């Protein structure tokens, strides 16, 4: 500030001279009809150009703000819809992730964004841009419009680490949607992205290729009825009296899209 | 020059221009504009802000009486701004710390000092309004003609009797 004042004091004569010249020139321009019209036209053109440029420059920011706002609105609508219990007809939930609307518990939908995700590790993880400050804590389920992505393992104030289904340490209780048989997901022996194994499904259970797999209501990690994927292959294991199911997930690890954290509302 | 002399010039030059400027002009080409004298004789020893504001006010007074508005002050301020630099250029052996006093100039020095600045003034004054080779020619002739008036005024009223 002092440097600025010193500069102004040093250049005061030049600045005064420029100001007086500008005044004289503007007086001349306004006194001549054609020049006035030309200057006004020029000013209009310049103003329009400046506004256009500013609009062009701020367009991505405005669009991003609008996107965030719509995202928040969408989350609120989803929350409202998920807690709507008095409907006599089936509800249309705009997220395909819901295999069965389970309004036993109300969930808050917190929109989050992916900051980073590992691609070639056995213990894959995902970083999201919300943490303790946004009310997140370990154990919460992360979904995208297609299905379950994973669970929050660690949180800091501003970001969280999510362990996806494609992590060898993650196992989730699931059920076959049609028959209701339970199983447990695994990515330990099958390290193909967008595919998981479902273990411990009884050998006698009637499952078919194409059956949907949902999160089980017994799961302590995820709400029951969230879609995970469809059975792509059935591998019977008579030695253990179980059958192993290869499930093609709905989520695409390489194209996650918008993400939400499901946070149970306090009763 | 004293403050009173400058004040007198401030008042009389526009009046002189009003009566003689039109009468002595060779219409419509060669004009007579001797009031440029004012910007040339404003003392260099005055504080720059005061000198600048007085010069500007003189231009505005001229603007009020002789349209187009703004051209006199605009051109006059250029003369004010460049005269210090110009006077040092034409008097290279003069002690730089000593302020130049135009009233002590010889007629030769005055011609070297005033004629280019008068030409500059008229160039800006006319070219601001229209640009053509004809205008350029009439501007140089007008500057020469106006300089004669300035020289006469300088020799009679401004120049000190004991000057070189």
């Amino acid at each position: 500030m002092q440097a600025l004042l010193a500069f102004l004091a040093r250049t005061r004569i030049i600045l005064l001279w420029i100001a007086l010249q500008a005044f004289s020139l503007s007086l001349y321009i306004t006194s001549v009809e054609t020049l006035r019209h030309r200057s006004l036209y020029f000013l209009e053109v310049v103003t329009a150009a400046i506004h256009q440029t500013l609009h062009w420059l701020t367009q991505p920011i405005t669009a991003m703000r609008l996107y965030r706002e719509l995202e928040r609105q969408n989350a609120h609508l989803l929350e409202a819809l998920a807690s709507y219990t008095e409907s006599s007809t089936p509800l249309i939930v705009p997220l395909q992730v819901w295999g069965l609307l389970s309004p036993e518990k109300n969930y808050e939908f917190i929109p989050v964004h992916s900051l980073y995700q590992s691609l070639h590790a056995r213990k894959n993880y995902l970083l999201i841009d919300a943490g303790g400050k946004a009310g997140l804590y370990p154990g919460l389920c992360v979904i995208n419009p297609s299905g379950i992505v994973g669970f929050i393992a660690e949180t800091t104030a501003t970001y969280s680490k999510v362990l996806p289904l494609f992590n060898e340490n993650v196992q989730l209780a699931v059920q076959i949607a049609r028959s209701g048989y339970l199983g447990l997901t695994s990515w330990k022996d099958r390290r193909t992205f967008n595919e998981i194994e479902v273990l411990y499904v009884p050998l006698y259970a009637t499952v078919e290729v194409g059956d949907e797999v949902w999160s089980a209501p017994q799961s302590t990690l995820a709400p029951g009825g969230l879609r995970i994927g469809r059975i792509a292959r059935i591998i019977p294991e008579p030695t253990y009296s179980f059958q192993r199911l290869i499930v093609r997930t709905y989520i695409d690890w390489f194209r996650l899209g918008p993400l939400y954290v499901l946070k149970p509302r306090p009763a | 020059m004293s403050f009173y002399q400058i004040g007198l010039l401030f008042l009389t030059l526009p009046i002189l221009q009003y009566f003689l400027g039109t009468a002595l002009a060779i219409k419509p080409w060669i004009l007579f504009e001797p009031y440029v004298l004012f910007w040339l004789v404003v003392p260099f020893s005055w504080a720059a802000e005061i000198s600048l504001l007085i010069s500007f006010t003189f231009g505005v007074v001229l603007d009020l009486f002789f349209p187009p508005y703004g051209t006199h002050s605009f051109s006059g301020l250029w003369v004010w701004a460049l005269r210090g630099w110009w006077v040092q250029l034409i008097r290279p052996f003069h002690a730089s710390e000593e302020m130049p006093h135009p009233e002590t100039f010889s007629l030769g020095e005055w011609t070297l000092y005033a004629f280019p600045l008068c030409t500059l003034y008229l160039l800006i004054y006319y070219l601001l309004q229209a640009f053509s080779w004809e205008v350029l020619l009439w501007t140089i002739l007008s500057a020469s003609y106006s300089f004669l008036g300035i020289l006469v005024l300088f020799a009679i009223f401004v120049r000190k009797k004991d000057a070189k």
Side-chain angles (χ1 to χ4, degrees), chain A residues 12-13 16-17 20-25 27-29 31-32 35, chain B residues 48-49 52 56 68-71 73-74 77-78 80-81 128-129:
Chain A
R12 66 188 186 283
I13 301 296
L16 182 63
W17 185 83
L20 294 175
Q21 285 290 57
F23 176 77
S24 304
L25 204 59
L27 199 68
Y28 172 62
I29 290 170
S31 70
V32 183
L35 277 177
Chain B
E49 295 94 331
L52 177 59
F56 174 71
Y69 307 111
T71 46
S73 49
F74 183 80
L77 286 187
W78 276 107
W80 179 88
L128 201 62
Q129 297 168 61

Side-chain angles (χ1 to χ4, degrees), chain B residues 94-159:
Chain B
H94 195 261
S96 58
E97 66 272 12
E98 193 188 327
M99 289 285 181
H101 295 279
E103 64 272 18
T104 63
F105 286 2
S106 66
L107 289 181
E109 276 181 327
W110 176 258
T111 305
L112 270 178
Y113 168 63
F115 180 67
L117 289 172
C118 178
T119 310
L120 173 82
Y121 175 87
L122 286 160
L123 274 173
I124 295 169
Y125 179 74
Y126 283 113
L127 296 181
L128 201 62
Q129 297 168 61
F131 180 85
S132 69
W133 293 111
E134 279 177 25
V135 170
L136 200 65
L137 177 69
W138 298 132
T139 302
I140 292 166
L141 289 175
S142 295
S144 309
Y145 189 46
S146 301
F147 174 70
L148 282 177
I150 292 171
L151 188 67
V152 169
L153 289 171
F154 172 74
I156 297 173
F157 299 108
V158 179
R159 189 164 177 254

Side-chain angles (χ1 to χ4, degrees), chain A residues 124-261:
Chain A
N124 290 300
Y125 65 95
L126 167 76
L127 293 180
I128 55 173
D129 64 348
K133 273 187 186 171
L136 305 190
Y137 49 83
L140 294 178
C141 181
V142 180
I143 62 167
N144 78 358
S146 310
I148 295 179
V149 175
F151 310 94
I152 293 177
E154 295 166 33
T155 52
T156 67
T158 50
Y159 75 91
S160 303
K161 185 179 177 184
V162 176
L163 300 186
L165 295 175
F166 315 118
N167 180 307
E168 66 174 20
N169 289 344
V170 170
Q171 289 194 306
L172 172 72
V174 294
Q175 66 174 10
I176 314 300
R178 191 169 56 84
S179 57
Y181 285 104
L182 295 174
L184 203 59
T185 67
S186 170
W187 205 63
K188 206 164 191 170
D189 300 322
R190 183 164 200 88
R191 296 192 193 104
T192 310
F193 279 107
N194 303 333
E195 273 188 11
I196 51 169
E197 286 183 343
V198 174
L199 309 175
Y200 311 119
V201 178
L203 203 54
Y204 57 83
T206 50
V207 289
E208 286 175 18
V209 170
D211 277 356
E212 251 190 358
V213 176
W214 295 352
S215 58
Q218 290 87 344
S219 168
T220 51
L221 288 171
L226 290 178
R227 281 192 172 119
I228 292 170
R230 282 185 187 279
I231 298 170
R233 204 142 52 95
I234 302 164
I235 305 167
E237 291 184 326
T239 323
Y240 303 106
S241 301
F242 291 118
Q243 46 191 334
R244 197 150 49 97
L245 313 178
I246 309 299
V247 174
R248 184 92 189 157
T249 58
Y250 287 129
I251 65 154
D252 184 345
W253 182 243
F254 301 99
R255 200 175 54 188
L256 287 174
L259 298 172
Y260 298 93
V261 177

